Amino acid sequence: ARALVEQEQQERSAGEAELAAAIQQARALVEQEAQARERADITLSRSMAAARESMEDQDGVSGKLRGELTDAMQADMAGIRDGIAKVVEAVQQERRSRSEADNQLREDCREALEKEIKARQEQDSQLREEMESESTLRQEVVEVIQQAIEELRTGLETHTHDFDGEGDEGEEGGEHWQDEAAHSSSGK
């Protein structure tokens, strides 16, 4: 998720750089238009002065000159309009691109979070099952140990009763007890 955020920041930085370049280009076009207008104004002023002088001599030449100036101004204005339209289109395209990138990043982050949550839930479930299994196993071991202790107590009590009953028999009974003890210890 962090890599996606860094990638988005880099893409945004690149987009902002492109937008800044587009704005710079628009400013340059506006500056060129301003210079073109200034030149046109100067040309127009000169032409007007010349036209006034010519008007006295030739009325037809001034009409032609006005037409040429109007055509030149209209051509310059059309170029400026095209440049501004291109800049506006570039800005709109950049906005759409950023919006799509933002939406994609949100979707990628959502999917990554869902995968992480699912993985953690599966891991928790597996750990819970292992703990329950271990708990059951330990309980079984405790029960086996308790059963073994109970068997030892019973065997010890039985053995003690046998010993008490055989104590009067003398040596033979003692040997019998030793044989039973050896037999009991080898059986367990």
Side-chain angles (χ1 to χ4, degrees):
R2 174 175 265 171
L4 291 174
V5 171
E6 290 176 5
Q7 181 183 4
E8 174 61 19
Q9 288 174 344
Q10 290 173 353
E11 289 176 0
R12 283 186 182 202
S13 296
E16 289 174 0
E18 289 177 11
L19 185 59
I23 290 171
Q24 187 68 17
Q25 185 181 15
R27 286 182 180 158
L29 287 172
V30 170
E31 182 66 28
Q32 288 175 355
E33 193 276 335
Q35 290 173 358
R37 282 187 181 193
E38 187 175 320
R39 287 192 303 267
D41 287 344
I42 292 170
T43 303
L44 183 60
S45 295
R46 290 178 185 164
S47 296
M48 293 287 285
R52 282 189 196 124
E53 291 175 7
S54 300
M55 217 164 132
E56 294 171 1
D57 296 335
Q58 301 174 351
D59 284 336
V61 174
S62 65
K64 184 178 176 183
L65 184 59
R66 281 185 196 151
E68 289 176 5
L69 287 175
T70 303
D71 291 344
M73 292 275 294
Q74 288 176 350
D76 287 345
M77 290 300 286
I80 290 169
R81 283 187 197 117
D82 289 344
I84 291 173
K86 287 179 183 178
V87 169
V88 168
E89 183 181 332
V91 169
Q92 289 173 345
Q93 184 177 1
E94 177 62 27
R95 284 183 184 162
R96 284 190 301 268
S97 174
R98 282 186 179 198
S99 176
E100 291 170 2
D102 288 348
N103 290 338
Q104 183 63 40
L105 178 62
R106 280 188 204 99
E107 183 64 24
D108 291 346
C109 288
R110 184 187 63 77
E111 288 176 6
L113 287 172
E114 285 177 357
K115 286 179 182 177
E116 181 66 23
I117 289 169
K118 185 177 180 181
R120 287 186 182 194
Q121 287 175 341
E122 288 175 359
Q123 185 181 17
D124 288 349
S125 176
Q126 184 179 8
L127 286 172
R128 194 173 297 117
E129 289 173 7
E130 289 175 2
M131 287 172 60
E132 288 173 3
S133 174
E134 186 175 333
S135 174
T136 304
L137 182 63
R138 285 183 180 204
Q139 183 63 32
E140 289 173 1
V141 168
V142 167
E143 289 173 5
V144 168
I145 290 172
Q146 286 176 344
Q147 185 179 6
I149 289 171
E150 189 58 37
E151 287 176 7
L152 287 173
R153 270 192 195 140
T154 304
L156 190 61
E157 286 175 1
T158 303
H159 185 69
T160 303
H161 289 299
D162 288 346
F163 183 68
D164 287 342
E166 294 174 358
D168 296 335
E169 295 177 10
E171 294 246 346
E172 197 175 295
E175 289 174 6
H176 177 67
W177 176 78
Q178 289 175 351
D179 289 342
E180 265 189 44
H183 178 64
S184 295
S185 63
S186 66
K188 293 195 182 198

